[in-house]
Amino acid sequence: MKKDRFIVTIDGPAGSGKSTISKLIAERDGFLHIDTGALYRAIGYLTDGQPTKNDLNNIHFNIRINNKIEIFYNGENIEKFIRNEECGMLASNVAKIDYVRDFVNKTARKIASVGKYIIDGRDCGSVIFPYADLKIFLDADLKERAKRRAFEDKRSVEEIEKEIEKRDKQDKSRNIAPLMKPNDAVVIDTTNLTIEDVYSKIKEMIKERYEHKDS
Ligand code: DC
């Protein structure tokens, strides 16, 4: 059955709303959310930004599947340590390394076997799942993205703005799998949209693509 697997990818820069919308779709519509950024963050955090190939062999993520992936290390859920902007930069640094990218890509592809998946990151539609059923590219003005992150991190908008601008530049200019809009992606600018607006748009597209998948 063609509908055994249905994949939606959501790529875009920091603070564009990828994780928020992915979580919502996972909760409401029974998709499994694979947050590839969280894998880079975990690797950055656990190796202090300097992963060797051997470190990756020794990192055993205990990935729990509900409708989301939880990353455990030594029995502890590390979610609370990896979400700040400092860890975002560590993640962006380790994401330049080819063997780290191979590790994350393999992990994501292994998880996404049978079922409905929503996968967010920077290269999910361009590299990890080029044959995804629906590719979305989320974007928003830098200031608005910084405001969202500053609210989450409880820090100043100006500080965060500088940091995410630097991180985006690094993610766009790296040699391997840079942040880019896949040619066949639908772009949604979330600057002036509520989360419910974004949800309705994506939900409509999912419905349409899913209905046509078998025909
Ligand atoms: O989505 P995020 O902010 O949690 O991602 C953190 C960093 O991880 C991001 O700045 C670059 C890297 N990343 C990547 O290179 N490719 C992905 N598919 C996801 C994240």
Side-chain angles (χ1 to χ4, degrees), residues 146-184:
K147 265 193 220 159
R148 294 173 188 168
R149 276 289 150 90
F151 181 75
E152 285 166 13
D153 275 20
K154 299 184 182 56
R155 290 177 52 210
S156 83
V157 177
E158 290 70 27
E159 242 183 351
I160 296 271
E161 188 175 329
K162 279 196 201 112
E163 289 174 9
I164 64 175
E165 193 174 22
K166 186 170 168 213
R167 181 148 72 96
D168 285 346
K169 238 183 226 160
Q170 175 160 289
D171 290 341
K172 280 180 191 160
S173 61
R174 67 172 172 239
N175 292 330
I176 328 165
L179 163 65
M180 56 139 93
K181 182 191 93 60
N183 285 338
D184 47 352

Side-chain angles (χ1 to χ4, degrees), residues 18 36-37 40-41 88 91-92 95 101 121-123 167 171 174:
K18 303 182 301 291
T36 58
Y40 288 104
R41 283 171 184 265
S92 176
R101 300 207 73 82
R122 303 289 183 290
D123 65 339
R167 181 148 72 96
D171 290 341
R174 67 172 172 239

Side-chain angles (χ1 to χ4, degrees), residues 15 22 53 77 90 103 108 111 118 140 155 165 179 181 200 215:
S22 300
K53 274 190 189 170
N77 185 334
L90 279 179
F103 176 85
I111 296 168
I118 185 133
R155 290 177 52 210
E165 193 174 22
L179 163 65
K181 182 191 93 60
S200 306
S215 57

Side-chain angles (χ1 to χ4, degrees), residues 2 4 90-91 107 116 124 183 195 214:
K2 278 193 200 165
D4 273 1
L90 279 179
T107 304
K116 296 195 289 181
C124 299
N183 285 338
I195 182 74
D214 253 355

Side-chain angles (χ1 to χ4, degrees), residues 52-63:
T52 62
K53 274 190 189 170
N54 206 34
D55 285 335
L56 296 179
N57 294 333
N58 293 328
I59 294 176
H60 297 291
F61 295 116
N62 181 0
I63 295 173

Side-chain angles (χ1 to χ4, degrees), residues 37-138:
L39 296 171
Y40 288 104
R41 283 171 184 265
I43 294 166
Y45 170 73
L46 293 170
T47 65
D48 211 11
Q50 317 247 325
T52 62
K53 274 190 189 170
N54 206 34
D55 285 335
L56 296 179
N57 294 333
N58 293 328
I59 294 176
H60 297 291
F61 295 116
N62 181 0
I63 295 173
R64 293 202 182 164
I65 300 181
N66 273 325
N67 60 355
K68 64 177 192 293
I69 307 296
E70 291 176 342
I71 303 169
F72 282 69
Y73 185 70
N74 280 346
E76 188 179 13
N77 185 334
I78 62 168
E79 173 71 21
K80 57 183 171 295
F81 304 116
I82 62 170
R83 289 298 164 188
N84 54 51
E85 194 43 44
E86 195 188 335
C87 201
M89 198 60 202
L90 279 179
S92 176
N93 292 342
V94 302
K96 289 191 272 185
I97 306 171
D98 57 355
Y99 53 82
V100 172
R101 300 207 73 82
D102 284 348
F103 176 85
V104 170
N105 295 355
K106 274 190 198 134
T107 304
R109 289 185 188 126
K110 203 155 65 183
I111 296 168
S113 51
V114 172
K116 296 195 289 181
Y117 299 90
I118 185 133
I119 303 151
D120 83 291
R122 303 289 183 290
D123 65 339
C124 299
S126 54
V127 174
I128 316 184
F129 297 103
Y131 303 110
D133 297 285
L134 173 63
K135 298 180 188 179
I136 306 284
F137 189 86
L138 284 193

